[in-house]
Amino acid sequence: MDLPCVPWQDYVARKWVGLDRDVKESFTSARDIDGAFRCAAALTAVRDVQELDDISAGFRADKDAGQAAASRERGNSSFQARDYTAAALHYSQVRSAAWVRSAKIMPVCFQGICLAPQGSPQLSLCFANRSAALHRLRRYQESLDDVDRAGRSGYPAHLSHKLEARRASCLQHLSGLTHGAASEPGEELRFGLSPRADVRFSTEKGRHLVATDGIAAGEVIVREKPHSCVLIPSATAGFGTEHRRCHLCLRETLCLVPCEGCSYSRYCSAACMEAAWQEHHRWECPLMAHLRALGVLSHLALRVALKSGPIRATGDAAETLHKDSDVSIFHLLHHLNSLSSSMRFLCAVTVAALCRKLYSTGRTPASWDAPTTEGAESGGSLGGAVLRHLLQLRCNAQAVVALQDTGVSHSLVQSSQEVRIATALFSTLSLLNHSCCPNTSLVFTAGQTTEGDAAGSKRGVTATVRAAAAVQPGQEILHCYGPHSSRMPTPQRRRLLQEQYFFLCRCEACSQQEQDTSPDRHLRWAQGGGANTSGLRCSAGRGSLEQCGDSREHLCVAPPCGRHSPGSGSSGTLQAIQVDLVKAVDLLEADRADEALALLDRASRQSELALEETHPTRGELADATARAFATKGEWTKAASHLERSAAVIGSQYGQASVEMGRQLFKLAQLHFNGGARRAALAVIPRAERLLSLHCGPQCHEVRELQAMERCLQEHITS
């Protein structure tokens, strides 16, 4: 969650309502960050911190040997059932709903390695048992690492022969695997801003990026690591992202190393654990339950302040364009005076309560001056810095996304979707202004080795911005903040951008649609399947239904119908179709393809009557049907349905989009697996071009496409 948990929001809202009018006016009249924080800190009492303690009790982060033992027993049961992946997850408690589904086990709320106190027998036993599960999964290096951890954690001497035998086996396998191995080719990694771009400043646009020379499509414009980053905890019960990814570099692994002080934070290696400890976790560790209750943005704001240290607000923005990232971030707009009084109060009281808890631990950063007697409980200048960053993050935080497999575990065709795994703050990326039809493409890599990193952070998060089209000299480099012209009508985009980012969008896409005042513009948008149509069909005239503004009412644009409808009937049909789609996907996950196909066939027939061909749900139905036929090995039928899905993707995201590239990648897989050489060789170049453009020529999809093409070409020549 980005905002604090609902109980804390409700508590602060009641506190705000209960304030005297003159106190509210005093807080509201504070026009700068420090003034707002000082006022909120003065209003934050001991009972407020006690309330936060009570709420945080639901976000436990302490060690518990009893729960660790219970988790180990669950792991033992999975191991005996030869479900070694599930066993490893229980031993380390990497709680992932996707893993649970594939393992066919019920999620549990126990924590193994991460809950075991240092020096307890449970810790060494969990490490040893996890090493056995990893060995069965042929993950020999990770198994060897756990063998060493078990030994260092006091593994019983009378059982040590088991560890030594496993160590020898791991070393033998690793020797065979590494003999003659060659390193994979990698795209040259260069961090920073392209020499073909520069930072400019204007009163209207603030700091922004402009091309100083021509930039070719696909060329890297920005490549940088985040200033600070926080992994997003799962919002539902079960195994979540935070339990299977390193909390520093975001690398996904079954072999996590727990923090020695809390049960929440865990890392892919001792190096990452030490790096996190030095940068931020030595202060966070006793507060993890409180930070989880106060939300990702509060957590990230504290990390930014801890890493940056005190920065004086000297000089104007134009003088700090090329200084280090700490100063650049300090000058990001915070929009204090654009927020409602209640939202400003929530942010300020949240920071005040957090700083009181931080100083009560006795762990304070040396870079910050010790608080005065007057500010001892409030956190002094540190609180003002955290509040500044919290408000900045509302407009400048970047969601870090990763592709996550959503298909059947043994499927020969990749099925994936982007999921949000973290929230980060990038100093250069924050300079990009918005466009509803941007000229850039943004991708993230997590947990990959990069050149020039300091020891302990070699597997970091990297954001790469590429030109999605040729950028001319003098042209501004633009990024989409979310609302895109191909997926959302102009009024809705503008409203969302105004509410979150406090500006009225006047990008090229918005201006063109705003200037189109011709009488037949609605009909042309409807016939073109544009963002201003609902994608629904009129039950009377079979014409397209256009949504009337932001209301639920729809208008049939097909003459002579012109029928108005409340939209509830069409929406109900759409909802029923989507319910069938969800059920069918669940059946696919359970390897029940025939039952899934029956549901998909019914939903598809309904969609033909109720939805336009370009409606996203029709594309999802075709995609799921393709998956079902692929599971059965019926490649020709699968490819036919995926082509229909690709047509919808092209209409929704554009023919040159990364989404189209990924859909064509799946289509190439289907043709390849079905032996349709000509069809595969026709699709592969286009898929390769789009994925190289958006994701780079060394992404794994491009390499797989190249391997398929070589195989097909060799087969033809032979």
Side-chain angles (χ1 to χ4, degrees):
M1 58 187 165
D2 289 333
L3 290 173
C5 64
V6 173
W8 178 251
Q9 290 186 56
D10 292 343
Y11 175 80
V12 177
R14 293 194 299 271
K15 181 180 178 68
W16 171 253
V17 171
L19 293 177
D20 293 336
R21 178 179 297 179
D22 58 339
V23 176
K24 288 184 178 180
E25 291 178 354
S26 176
F27 175 80
T28 304
S29 63
R31 313 310 295 176
D32 60 79
I33 295 289
D34 290 333
F37 176 75
R38 286 193 299 269
C39 186
L43 294 172
T44 304
V46 173
R47 64 178 179 275
D48 300 320
V49 180
Q50 290 174 342
E51 181 69 22
L52 178 59
D53 289 340
D54 293 341
I55 292 173
S56 300
F59 298 85
R60 290 188 59 183
D62 55 333
K63 302 286 188 179
D64 190 314
Q67 291 187 3
S71 182
R72 186 170 66 87
E73 290 303 319
R74 299 273 183 163
N76 290 344
S77 298
S78 296
F79 191 93
Q80 292 169 3
R82 298 185 179 182
D83 196 341
Y84 304 118
T85 298
L89 293 169
H90 279 293
Y91 292 137
S92 58
Q93 200 48 40
V94 189
R95 300 190 296 177
S96 160
W99 284 113
V100 172
R101 286 196 300 271
S102 65
K104 296 183 175 61
I105 56 175
M106 293 298 293
V108 295
C109 296
F110 301 114
Q111 302 219 2
I113 289 172
C114 293
L115 268 172
Q118 291 297 311
S120 70
Q122 296 301 334
L123 183 61
S124 64
L125 293 174
C126 282
F127 276 133
N129 291 353
R130 189 172 71 176
S131 75
L134 293 168
H135 186 274
R136 294 296 182 94
L137 291 171
R138 301 181 181 180
R139 302 177 74 151
Y140 300 115
Q141 183 59 58
E142 291 175 326
S143 176
L144 183 62
D145 292 340
D146 267 0
V147 167
D148 293 336
R149 293 184 184 111
R152 293 195 301 268
S153 301
Y155 192 69
H158 68 281
L159 298 175
S160 60
H161 64 282
K162 295 183 179 180
L163 288 184
E164 294 307 314
R166 195 171 302 132
R167 181 198 304 276
S169 176
C170 287
L171 291 172
Q172 181 179 3
H173 282 97
L174 287 171
S175 175
L177 289 173
T178 57
H179 180 70
S183 59
E184 293 185 1
E187 183 181 9
E188 181 183 355
L189 291 171
R190 175 180 49 78
F191 289 91
L193 181 62
S194 167
R196 301 179 188 273
D198 197 10
V199 183
R200 300 289 171 83
F201 176 81
S202 71
T203 305
E204 178 187 2
K205 297 181 178 180
R207 293 179 296 165
H208 57 284
L209 299 184
V210 173
T212 56
D213 198 357
I215 300 175
E219 186 176 339
V220 174
I221 301 175
V222 177
R223 179 175 277 127
E224 71 170 323
K225 290 185 174 298
H227 178 281
S228 300
C229 182
V230 171
L231 200 65
I232 297 175
S234 174
T236 58
F239 296 110
T241 302
E242 76 274 25
H243 300 95
R244 55 190 170 96
R245 287 186 180 270
C246 175
H247 285 219
L248 181 67
C249 74
L250 307 187
R251 177 189 174 215
E252 191 169 16
T253 177
L254 294 176
C255 192
L256 289 163
V257 181
C259 168
E260 296 182 0
C262 69
S263 63
Y264 180 74
S265 301
R266 56 207 80 183
Y267 307 93
C268 66
S269 64
C272 273
M273 179 172 66
E274 177 61 22
W277 182 262
Q278 293 300 325
E279 182 180 290
H280 53 256
H281 194 61
R282 51 180 161 163
W283 300 295
E284 292 178 354
C285 191
L287 300 177
M288 286 312 303
H290 297 80
L291 288 169
R292 292 177 63 196
L294 294 180
V296 169
L297 290 187
S298 298
H299 193 169
L300 182 55
L302 177 63
R303 282 193 180 177
V304 175
L306 293 173
K307 184 174 181 179
S308 297
I311 298 175
R312 294 184 178 181
T314 57
D316 58 30
E319 294 175 347
T320 60
L321 295 180
H322 299 286
K323 293 184 179 180
D324 60 54
S325 62
D326 293 335
V327 176
S328 179
I329 285 172
F330 179 88
H331 283 282
L332 292 174
L333 296 178
H334 51 70
H335 297 288
L336 172 70
N337 298 320
S338 299
L339 296 174
S340 66
S341 297
S342 58
M343 177 56 70
R344 198 185 314 177
F345 188 72
L346 171 63
C347 294
V349 170
T350 295
V351 172
L354 176 59
C355 287
R356 286 176 69 111
K357 290 300 302 183
L358 175 62
Y359 277 90
S360 71
T361 65
R363 304 185 184 188
T364 56
S367 59
W368 291 96
D369 295 334
T372 62
T373 303
E374 180 182 356
E377 294 181 341
S378 67
S381 59
L382 175 60
V386 176
L387 179 57
R388 169 182 288 272
H389 296 315
L390 177 57
L391 298 180
Q392 290 170 333
L393 288 169
R394 286 178 55 85
C395 295
N396 294 284
Q398 177 66 54
V400 178
V401 298
L403 282 178
Q404 179 172 295
D405 182 32
T406 59
V408 181
S409 58
H410 60 267
S411 175
L412 296 176
V413 179
Q414 184 188 71
S415 183
S416 59
Q417 66 178 3
E418 282 190 338
V419 294
R420 185 179 172 195
I421 62 172
T423 300
L425 183 61
F426 295 85
S427 59
T428 305
L429 194 58
S430 297
L431 302 180
L432 290 172
N433 283 332
H434 167 81
S435 170
C436 296
C437 188
N439 54 13
T440 60
S441 181
L442 171 64
V443 294
F444 295 96
T445 54
Q448 294 188 2
T449 303
T450 54
E451 296 176 2
D453 287 346
S457 61
K458 290 184 177 179
R459 299 185 183 93
V461 184
T462 300
T464 302
V465 178
R466 288 182 171 84
V471 184
Q472 303 302 318
Q475 186 177 355
E476 186 176 0
I477 299 165
L478 300 165
H479 167 54
C480 181
Y481 291 1
H484 197 283
S485 61
S486 68
R487 299 184 290 278
M488 192 180 296
T490 303
Q492 186 178 353
R493 296 199 311 270
R494 282 184 159 177
R495 187 186 73 250
L496 291 175
L497 291 166
Q498 182 71 52
E499 290 175 353
Q500 182 169 355
Y501 298 101
F502 311 109
F503 69 86
L504 176 64
C505 186
R506 299 188 183 278
C507 71
E508 183 177 356
C510 288
S511 299
Q512 286 179 350
Q513 293 182 14
E514 184 180 52
Q515 293 168 7
D516 188 354
T517 59
S518 58
D520 64 340
R521 68 188 187 281
H522 298 308
L523 178 59
R524 286 189 288 101
W525 283 337
Q527 291 173 339
N532 281 52
T533 63
S534 65
L536 304 176
R537 282 183 173 173
C538 175
S539 58
R542 296 299 177 205
S544 299
L545 291 177
E546 181 193 339
Q547 187 171 353
C548 300
D550 291 333
S551 69
R552 293 176 58 86
E553 187 172 326
H554 293 90
L555 168 68
C556 179
V557 299
C561 182
R563 175 183 176 185
H564 282 78
S565 63
S568 57
S570 298
S571 298
T573 302
L574 173 60
Q575 186 176 5
I577 293 171
Q578 291 172 334
V579 168
D580 279 349
L581 174 60
V582 171
K583 290 180 180 178
V585 171
D586 289 340
L587 288 170
L588 283 174
E589 294 287 350
D591 293 341
R592 295 159 65 182
D594 289 329
E595 295 174 64
L597 280 170
L599 261 182
L600 290 168
D601 180 64
R602 183 179 74 182
S604 296
R605 282 187 277 106
Q606 289 178 323
S607 71
E608 291 174 2
L609 299 175
L611 307 178
E612 291 292 315
E613 290 184 0
T614 56
H615 193 285
T617 299
R618 291 194 67 173
E620 293 172 15
L621 286 167
D623 187 88
T625 304
R627 284 178 53 189
F629 279 121
T631 301
K632 295 166 61 68
E634 298 183 34
W635 306 110
T636 302
K637 290 182 179 179
S640 175
H641 285 278
L642 198 65
E643 285 172 348
R644 298 179 195 173
S645 177
V648 177
I649 291 292
S651 174
Q652 185 182 9
Y653 295 97
Q655 295 295 328
S657 63
V658 65
E659 291 83 3
M660 190 65 178
R662 287 171 180 153
Q663 202 73 355
L664 292 175
F665 172 70
K666 292 194 294 183
L667 184 58
Q669 287 182 312
L670 291 176
H671 287 319
F672 181 85
N673 292 331
R677 300 183 186 87
R678 291 182 181 275
L681 289 172
V683 171
I684 287 174
R686 187 180 172 199
E688 183 179 346
R689 178 179 62 82
L690 290 177
L691 291 171
S692 296
L693 173 67
H694 294 284
C695 305
Q698 295 299 329
C699 71
H700 73 90
E701 291 102 334
V702 170
R703 292 201 297 268
E704 184 172 336
L705 287 167
Q706 292 170 342
M708 284 192 285
E709 189 172 32
R710 285 194 300 270
C711 179
L712 293 170
Q713 295 287 8
E714 290 171 0
H715 185 83
I716 291 175
T717 56
S718 62

